[in-house]
């Protein structure tokens, strides 16, 4: 679950930085660094979500496929379906 949380944060943050770069200076070096980072984080989010046993919450795995914010959406769904009084690690 920790890997999913980290990858979801990296996915969303890298997308925000890519868009910020596009709207401001459009530095090719920054795009060359952040593009692969974002793509890798996106793939890790998908793989991590599909392997987490508690991701069996309806729709959690499919939410991970949304580019950019899918990891955060899947995490929110998984945590919302956690039993009361039991927080996910």
């Amino acid at each position: 679950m920790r890997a999913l949380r980290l990858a979801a944060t990296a996915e969303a943050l890298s997308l925000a930085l890519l868009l910020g770069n596009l709207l401001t200076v459009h530095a090719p070096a920054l795009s060359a660094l952040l593009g692969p980072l974002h793509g890798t984080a996106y793939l890790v989010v998908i793989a991590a979500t599909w392997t987490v046993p508690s991701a069996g919450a309806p729709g959690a795995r499919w939410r991970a496929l949304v580019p950019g914010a899918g990891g955060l959406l899947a995490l929110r769904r998984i945590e919302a379906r956690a039993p009361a009084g039991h927080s996910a690690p």
Side-chain angles (χ1 to χ4, degrees), residues 7 9 17:
T9 303
L17 290 173

Side-chain angles (χ1 to χ4, degrees), residues 1 49 51-58 60-61 77-79 81-82 88-89:
M1 190 72 149
T49 303
T51 60
V52 171
S54 59
R61 291 183 175 139
R77 183 67 172 176
I78 291 168
E79 290 172 352
R81 300 288 292 182

Side-chain angles (χ1 to χ4, degrees), residues 1-18 34 37-46 48-49 64 66-76 79:
M1 190 72 149
R2 181 176 290 156
L4 176 58
R5 205 170 271 128
L6 180 64
T9 303
E11 178 191 16
L13 184 61
S14 64
L15 179 63
L17 290 173
L18 276 167
L34 292 174
L37 175 69
H38 175 70
T40 302
Y42 176 59
L43 293 175
V44 170
V45 161
I46 293 169
T49 303
V66 176
L72 297 175
L73 293 171
L75 270 174
R76 184 175 176 183
E79 290 172 352

